[in-house]
Amino acid sequence: VLSYIDLVLLMGHKAGAQGGGLDERVFEKIKELQVARTEVGGRFSICLDGGVNTSNIERIRATGISEVVVGHAVNELIG
């Protein structure tokens, strides 16, 4: 199945819980998906939605995922 998809969207916290913290388990899921993508020769992107903010964006970026969705954290930047 992974060789046929374009994008995997991971939720960083429970859907609809705006402003919620990032579930640390997502980092292990990212690693597992990266390994699976390599094993099957997949080309899918990995996107993280939820829990992304200014205090964790660098750690998220270091995982090498393709995309993040930033919602509530925009308020941190614009006040």
Side-chain angles (χ1 to χ4, degrees):
V1 173
L2 291 178
S3 62
Y4 295 102
I5 61 174
D6 296 318
L7 176 83
V8 174
L9 176 66
L10 294 174
M11 297 304 296
H13 59 71
K14 185 177 178 178
Q18 247 186 350
L22 182 65
D23 184 339
E24 292 291 316
R25 295 177 296 180
V26 77
F27 291 101
E28 185 59 34
K29 291 177 184 180
I30 291 169
K31 288 179 190 175
E32 290 172 3
L33 280 168
Q34 289 169 327
V35 168
R37 179 174 56 194
T38 300
E39 288 176 352
V40 300
R43 302 181 69 170
F44 60 85
S45 298
I46 301 171
C47 179
L48 176 61
D49 183 359
V52 179
N53 59 45
T54 56
S55 66
N56 61 24
I57 190 65
E58 286 301 319
R59 182 173 175 210
I60 293 166
R61 187 177 73 86
T63 67
I65 65 172
S66 308
E67 304 173 39
V68 295
V69 176
V70 180
H72 189 264
V74 171
N75 291 333
E76 292 179 37
L77 299 173
I78 61 174

